[in-house]
């Protein structure tokens, strides 16, 4: 009798094992994940809504029917929800940025009167950081994600262009009176380079954070961001060129020609557009797909959304910071630029009318047509 019981148990075990091996995986089977990934069961999927704000798909599980507004499958969305962001390029980029500014501070402390290196290192550090970070990641042109390539090229072009122009201007002008007194003291020199690093760190957040994700989720946003960047680069470059030429042709007079006739600081506006464009390029790839539990509260769901958007929000701190900085400078709340302009041109009625009628940052295109 005992033998029959053991035989029965063996037969049942064999059949169970065979049935398990022959069982097809669920349509929502997720392959083994890394230690940093979340495993979501098929039962959990049936009770959750899955949203990927990055590609703007919306998935809702109702019974056995899964509806989607995109071509992505549920399995792909769930895999993306556990996307691993590699933070090493972010720290590498900012480490190089910091070393460049430390080098600049050392030169300033050793040679207090020299200013040639200020913008060459302060602004050129963006390009240097981008190039070294890409090189250290050992990308080939075929392996490099298009978004990272475009973002890197954008930052390098802007950095080399602006650093080159400012270095050329420093060679011609020799010294900037606004910085001479600041750089004449050790505390002033240290504060200048600390501020330079903080400016670089915050400004380049869209790019440095974008380096942490190898995913390109939205070609539309990539195209839009590239267009915004190119527009800003043209505006900033044209504004710098027009003012430089004006100063040589009309020494002692304030510039109110070209872009400067429709904005008091078109170069500032162009710079804001540049970093807005880089942020738009990278932001969609910084958004983690969102998984909602149908039983969670509205507060919990809102917190989940904010948490998934945290990297994208940080990226847009760059243009927001630059807007606040430039607006403060244009209004005279930051720096002494406005005060010095009033000392130079305050007796000129044309200058007073210019200040009263021309916008501080955003160009007023209507003023072009009003003149005609």
């Amino acid at each position: 009798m005992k033998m029959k019981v053991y035989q029965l148990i063996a037969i049942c075990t064999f059949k169970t094992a065979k049935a398990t091996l022959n069982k097809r995986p669920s349509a929502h089977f997720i392959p083994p994940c890394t230690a940093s990934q979340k495993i979501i069961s098929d039962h959990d999927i049936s009770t959750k809504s899955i949203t990927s704000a990055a590609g703007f798909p919306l998935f809702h599980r109702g019974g056995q029917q899964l509806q989607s507004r995109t071509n992505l499958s549920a399995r792909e969305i769930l895999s993306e929800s556990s996307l691993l962001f590699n933070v090493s390029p972010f720290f590498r980029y900012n480490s190089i940025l910091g070393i460049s500014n430390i080098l600049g501070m050392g030169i300033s402390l050793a040679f207090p009167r020299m200013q040639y290196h200020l913008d060459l290192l302060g602004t050129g550090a963006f390009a240097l950081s981008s190039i070294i970070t890409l090189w250290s990641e050992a990308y080939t042109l075929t392996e490099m994600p298009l978004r990272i390539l475009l973002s890197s090229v954008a930052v390098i072009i802007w950095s080399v262009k602006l650093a080159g122009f400012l270095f050329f201007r420093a060679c011609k002008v020799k010294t900037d009176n606004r910085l001479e007194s600041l750089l004449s003291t050790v505390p002033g020199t240290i504060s200048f380079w600390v501020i330079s690093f903080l400016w670089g760190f915050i400004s380049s957040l869209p790019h440095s954070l974008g380096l942490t994700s190898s995913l390109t989720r939205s070609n539309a946003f990539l195209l839009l961001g590239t267009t915004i960047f190119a527009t800003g680069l043209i505006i900033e470059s044209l504004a710098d060129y027009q003012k430089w030429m004006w100063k040589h042709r009309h020494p002692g007079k304030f510039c109110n020609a070209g872009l400067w006739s429709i904005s008091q600081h078109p170069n500032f506006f162009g710079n804001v557009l540049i970093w807005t464009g880089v942020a738009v390029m990278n932001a969609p790839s910084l958004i983690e797909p969102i998984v909602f539990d149908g039983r969670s509260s509205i507060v919990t769901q809102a917190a989940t959304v904010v948490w998934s958007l945290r990297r994208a929000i940080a990226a847009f701190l760059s243009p927001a910071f630059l807007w606040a900085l430039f607006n403060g400078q244009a209004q005279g709340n930051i720096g002494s630029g406005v005060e010095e302009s009033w000392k130079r041109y305050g007796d000129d009625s044309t200058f007073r009318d210019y200040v009263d009628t021309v916008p501080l940052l955003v160009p007023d295109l209507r003023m072009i047509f009003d003149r005609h």
Side-chain angles (χ1 to χ4, degrees):
M1 183 67 182
K2 289 183 178 180
M3 291 295 295
K4 291 183 179 180
V5 173
Y6 292 147
Q7 288 175 350
L8 181 61
I9 292 174
I11 292 171
C12 290
T13 303
F14 174 76
K15 288 185 176 181
T16 302
K18 184 178 180 181
T20 302
L21 292 172
N22 291 334
K23 183 181 179 181
R24 290 187 177 182
S26 167
H28 306 292
F29 171 77
I30 303 175
C33 302
T34 63
S36 64
Q37 293 178 323
K38 301 175 184 177
I39 299 177
I40 304 176
S41 68
D42 192 56
H43 172 72
D44 291 334
I45 298 174
S46 64
T47 60
K48 294 183 178 181
S49 298
I50 307 166
T51 306
S52 173
F56 302 103
L58 178 61
F59 287 79
H60 180 72
R61 178 79 176 179
Q64 298 299 318
Q65 184 68 29
L66 188 67
Q67 296 179 343
S68 167
R69 291 208 308 251
T70 71
N71 295 326
L72 294 177
S73 66
R75 175 177 172 179
E76 289 172 325
I77 290 297
L78 290 175
S79 297
E80 287 187 13
S81 68
S82 55
L83 181 65
L84 178 64
F85 286 86
N86 181 14
V87 296
S88 61
F90 174 82
F91 288 109
R92 187 176 296 112
Y93 177 93
N94 287 293
S95 296
I96 299 164
L97 200 66
I99 291 171
S100 299
N101 282 275
I102 291 173
L103 176 61
M105 182 172 63
I107 296 174
S108 294
L109 290 173
F111 307 97
R113 292 186 175 277
M114 189 170 73
Q115 297 186 10
Y116 299 114
H117 65 293
L118 298 183
D119 293 300
L120 193 62
L121 283 174
T123 307
F126 290 83
L128 184 64
S129 299
S130 298
I131 293 171
I132 294 178
T133 302
L134 285 182
W135 175 78
S136 62
E137 291 297 308
Y139 281 122
T140 64
L141 287 178
T142 56
E143 294 174 344
M144 187 183 303
L146 178 61
R147 175 186 54 79
I148 290 181
L149 176 62
L150 287 177
S151 180
S152 299
V153 169
V155 172
I156 292 169
I157 288 175
W158 167 79
S159 173
V160 171
K161 184 271 303 182
L162 186 58
F165 168 73
L166 295 176
F167 178 70
F168 169 78
R169 189 178 68 177
C171 291
K172 294 292 184 180
V173 178
K174 304 298 183 184
T175 182
D176 188 336
N177 295 328
R178 297 171 298 178
L179 299 175
E180 192 169 3
S181 59
L182 178 66
L183 296 174
S184 63
T185 64
V186 172
T189 299
I190 294 174
S191 65
F192 172 85
W193 286 104
V194 169
I195 293 172
S196 174
F197 170 73
L198 293 176
W199 163 70
F201 175 81
I202 299 174
S203 297
S204 58
L205 276 174
H207 177 61
S208 60
L209 285 171
L211 293 172
T212 64
S213 172
S214 61
L215 188 63
T216 299
R217 281 197 173 112
S218 175
N219 289 329
F221 274 80
L222 197 57
L223 178 61
L224 177 62
T226 303
T227 303
I228 295 173
F229 165 81
T231 302
L233 186 69
I234 292 171
I235 291 175
E236 183 188 63
S237 303
L238 185 59
D240 287 338
Y241 173 77
Q242 288 176 339
K243 189 169 186 177
W244 176 260
M245 296 305 296
W246 174 273
K247 291 294 184 181
H248 280 72
R249 294 172 180 172
H250 308 279
K253 295 185 178 181
F254 75 96
C255 181
N256 60 349
L259 292 175
W260 298 85
S261 66
I262 57 177
S263 170
Q264 294 184 36
H265 303 278
N267 54 338
F268 289 173
F269 178 71
N271 192 263
V272 172
L273 284 185
I274 284 171
W275 289 107
T276 300
V278 178
V280 172
M281 284 185 207
N282 290 290
S285 296
L286 297 175
I287 303 174
E288 295 178 2
I290 308 165
V291 179
F292 288 136
D293 188 336
R295 293 167 293 183
S296 60
S297 65
I298 295 178
V299 175
T300 302
Q301 292 183 8
T304 302
V305 171
V306 173
W307 182 251
S308 71
L309 296 173
R310 66 191 183 281
R311 293 183 181 90
I313 293 173
F316 278 98
L317 287 177
S318 167
F321 161 75
L322 291 171
W323 179 269
L325 174 65
F326 293 148
N327 193 55
Q329 289 179 318
Q331 292 180 346
N333 299 324
I334 300 175
S336 58
V338 173
E339 183 181 355
E340 291 181 2
S341 294
W342 275 100
K343 287 180 180 179
R344 291 179 183 177
Y345 314 116
D347 295 334
D348 188 343
S349 59
T350 306
F351 174 77
R352 294 195 297 270
D353 292 339
Y354 175 82
V355 171
D356 291 337
T357 57
V358 178
L360 289 177
L361 295 179
V362 182
D364 187 354
L365 298 179
R366 296 172 301 179
M367 299 182 71
I368 299 176
F369 301 104
D370 289 345
R371 296 190 186 100
H372 298 286

